[in-house]
Amino acid sequence: MQDDKNLSEIQIEDQQIIDNKELNLLESLIPVVILMCLLAYNIFFVEGQEWFGAYTNQYILIMGGFVAAVVGFFNKVSFATMVAEVWENWKSVFVPIMILFLVGALAGTWLVSGIIPAMVYYGLQVLSPEIFLPASVVIAAIISIATGSSWTTSATVGIALVGIGSALGIPTGMIAGAVISGAYFGDKMSPLSDTTNLAPAMAGTDLFTHIKYMSFTTVPTILVTLVVFAILSGTIDTSGSADISNLLASIDNTFHISLWLFLVPGIVIAMILMKTKPLIALGTGVVLAAVFAFIFQSDVLTSLSDSKFEAIINSVLIDTNIETDNDKLSELFSSGGMNGMIWTILLITCAMVFGGVMDAIGALAKITKSLLSVATSVFGLFASTVVSCLGLNAIASDQYLALVIPGKMFKKAYEDKGLAPENLSRTLEDSGTVTSVLIPWNTCGAYQSSVLGVDVTDYFVYAIFNYLSPFTTLLFAALNIKIRQLIKK
């Protein structure tokens, strides 16, 4: 058994930051460099990005965790300490994993019940290609502000918008980028959001001061995002727009379309607005959709299986493909159910192994402290915070750690520079919360990619709000715009 007396733990609510005095910066970076090199090799040099098969990224994360563990052993960190921290990470993602399973079930039951086809059917008639992308940003933003959850937004209106846009001939990467941009704007600005509450708690300011101060960088960023998507909408060759009548006829011939179907998503959103736990709200959506499938889509269930009940169970658990007389719609009307979420769940699980071991050996704290040591100017302090949040999103694979660790480490540095805590809380959100979705192996990137059915590499360039936010906060820091000073008492 190794001696762990060199480890100190700083408790932050349910999170721990472990500082290992035996570890130096170079050793802390070894697992990170190896992980990034393996991931880069797989992306750029392996055809089909399947170096070790379909679960290559998962294997690479485990290898990175093993390297981190070896570094830990050489620096007097016990195996028990590492296992304990990985277990804490796994516990922290238990609910998100359950949500992922329910989202898979929701997608399947909402498909066979006709809810998603109905959303596409009516959406095609309302959302024209000329306004689709900026409208998607606005719709996602409104839902996300109301629910406080980018995940819920993607699992409900996000899926529908991707379906509608695909039928119009708009690239799915663009649609996903618009949905994610709007969803994360709402997630940042909603007082119901967990990250919007966590950031000011770490920085030492109150919720509404944080939201007000955050609006100075967030509002200009979303306005630029809307302008870019409006321009993109004018450049899209939407070949699908000419076939809308055929698409509508195909949907109508396959499903029984009724406005009553919108009762199910309406109930789910209402439950979320009333602060019902996501597992209960999504579970209710699955059950109601199953009931509506029996009522409205008897022919669809019969076409899928000899037993209607079996067809419903299959839609929850495994792949479901509904054939129509239109190839584009047949491709759209498919779902993997819970089985379709296995790849994502394994990716999150493996990411938590790597992040947990890195935290246990003290590497995360060491890297963050090193960034802090070079922050000699006010702008350098802001830049170090941004880099720290971005790095932790990639290394720890968890947006909460990307807020908690820099929030704790940089809090005193902002005070020493005479900066009000809302400067830190805003920077944490501008660079930690929104960029998590840009990392394929981060819990947020894996979730959004799986739910929307679009690879991170496809929507990355179109998630304009998400990658523009860190630059906006750095621009404000460089030009000394809305940098609030501490009030001397």
Side-chain angles (χ1 to χ4, degrees):
M1 183 67 68
Q2 298 286 346
D3 181 10
D4 291 345
K5 291 181 180 179
N6 57 304
L7 302 180
S8 60
E9 297 180 358
I10 306 169
Q11 292 289 342
I12 305 176
E13 295 179 356
D14 293 328
Q15 300 282 356
Q16 297 183 70
I17 297 176
I18 299 177
D19 186 19
N20 185 352
K21 296 176 184 177
E22 297 284 336
L23 193 71
N24 61 46
L25 179 60
L26 180 60
E27 291 170 327
S28 298
L29 290 172
I30 290 173
V32 178
V33 172
I34 291 176
L35 176 72
M36 294 304 174
C37 289
L38 290 173
L39 289 169
Y41 180 81
N42 183 57
I43 292 171
F44 297 110
F45 298 102
V46 178
E47 186 177 352
Q49 297 183 24
E50 292 189 354
W51 190 5
F52 301 114
Y55 294 95
T56 295
N57 286 345
Q58 287 86 339
Y59 290 132
I60 289 175
L61 285 165
I62 293 295
M63 282 188 265
F66 176 77
V67 172
V70 173
V71 172
F73 285 134
F74 278 100
N75 286 277
K76 302 180 181 179
V77 183
S78 69
F79 180 71
T81 299
M82 289 184 265
V83 170
E85 195 62 25
V86 170
W87 175 245
E88 288 300 316
N89 275 14
W90 278 346
K91 287 197 296 185
S92 72
V93 296
F94 177 76
V95 172
I97 285 174
M98 292 299 101
I99 290 175
L100 272 171
F101 274 126
L102 279 176
V103 167
L106 197 77
T109 53
W110 281 25
L111 173 62
V112 298
S113 64
I115 295 170
I116 292 176
M119 289 178 173
V120 174
Y121 183 85
Y122 291 110
L124 285 171
Q125 300 174 65
V126 176
L127 292 171
S128 65
E130 292 77 16
I131 65 165
F132 185 85
L133 292 175
S136 295
V137 175
V138 173
I139 291 169
I142 291 172
I143 297 298
S144 191
I145 289 174
T147 62
S149 172
S150 57
W151 283 32
T152 300
T153 301
S154 298
T156 52
V157 297
I159 293 174
L161 288 169
V162 169
I164 296 165
S166 298
L168 288 170
I170 300 173
T172 55
M174 285 188 183
I175 307 165
V179 169
I180 288 169
S181 292
Y184 275 82
F185 166 81
D187 195 311
K188 274 183 68 180
M189 299 302 291
S190 174
L192 302 177
S193 169
D194 49 4
T195 55
T196 308
N197 282 273
L198 180 60
M202 291 299 99
T205 187
D206 66 272
L207 173 63
F208 290 102
T209 298
H210 167 63
I211 292 175
K212 178 182 177 181
Y213 201 64
M214 190 165 52
S215 67
F216 294 130
T217 56
T218 303
V219 172
T221 305
I222 198 65
L223 290 177
V224 171
T225 301
L226 285 168
V227 170
V228 172
F229 276 117
I231 294 171
L232 284 175
S233 291
T235 63
I236 298 171
D237 179 17
T238 52
S239 57
S241 60
D243 299 321
I244 287 180
S245 59
N246 292 333
L247 292 172
L248 295 177
S250 295
I251 296 172
D252 202 29
N253 291 335
T254 306
F255 298 91
H256 176 72
I257 301 299
S258 170
L259 289 172
W260 284 107
L261 293 168
F262 287 92
L263 188 61
V264 176
I267 290 173
V268 172
I269 291 174
M271 291 178 71
I272 292 168
L273 290 175
M274 291 187 292
K275 300 184 180 180
T276 306
K277 291 183 178 181
L279 290 175
I280 296 174
L282 294 174
T284 301
V286 172
V287 173
L288 289 176
V291 173
F292 274 51
F294 280 108
I295 297 172
F296 291 98
Q297 311 301 339
S298 179
D299 291 342
V300 171
L301 296 179
T302 302
S303 69
L304 293 173
S305 175
D306 294 335
S307 167
K308 294 178 183 179
F309 181 76
E310 183 181 350
I312 292 291
I313 296 300
N314 287 343
S315 72
V316 171
L317 298 176
I318 60 176
D319 295 345
T320 298
N321 298 286
I322 298 176
E323 296 295 329
T324 71
D325 54 11
N326 185 291
D327 292 338
K328 186 183 294 184
L329 288 177
S330 296
E331 182 178 342
L332 178 62
F333 294 152
S334 62
S335 169
M338 288 185 176
N339 183 62
M341 296 294 171
I342 295 296
W343 188 93
T344 303
I345 289 168
L346 288 176
L347 183 68
I348 291 172
T349 303
C350 294
M352 291 301 98
V353 171
F354 178 74
V357 177
M358 286 290 289
D359 192 11
I361 68 174
L364 298 186
K366 184 67 66 177
I367 292 169
T368 305
K369 280 187 173 182
S370 298
L371 286 171
L372 182 58
S373 67
V374 299
T376 57
S377 64
V378 170
F379 177 76
L381 183 58
F382 278 88
S384 295
T385 309
V386 169
V387 172
S388 179
C389 291
L390 293 174
L392 283 164
N393 263 326
I395 299 168
S397 307
D398 182 78
Q399 69 170 348
Y400 298 109
L401 287 176
L403 297 179
V404 169
I405 294 177
K408 180 66 179 179
M409 296 296 183
F410 285 87
K411 183 178 179 181
K412 189 176 185 303
Y414 277 75
E415 293 174 357
D416 292 342
K417 294 288 185 183
L419 299 171
E422 46 266 35
N423 291 288
L424 174 57
S425 65
R426 181 179 72 184
T427 308
L428 291 175
E429 287 254 63
D430 283 343
S431 52
T433 299
V434 300
T435 60
S436 57
V437 74
L438 303 177
I439 311 296
W441 56 89
N442 188 286
T443 52
C444 294
Y447 174 88
Q448 298 289 350
S449 175
S450 180
V451 168
L452 297 176
V454 183
D455 287 340
V456 175
T457 52
D458 291 331
Y459 71 63
F460 183 97
V461 71
Y462 300 111
I464 298 165
F465 175 80
N466 301 72
Y467 63 72
L468 197 58
S469 290
F471 290 103
T472 305
T473 204
L474 288 177
L475 179 64
F476 273 56
L479 300 178
N480 198 30
I481 301 172
K482 295 298 179 181
I483 306 301
R484 184 172 294 174
Q485 303 296 312
L486 279 171
I487 299 174
K488 295 182 180 179
K489 297 183 181 179

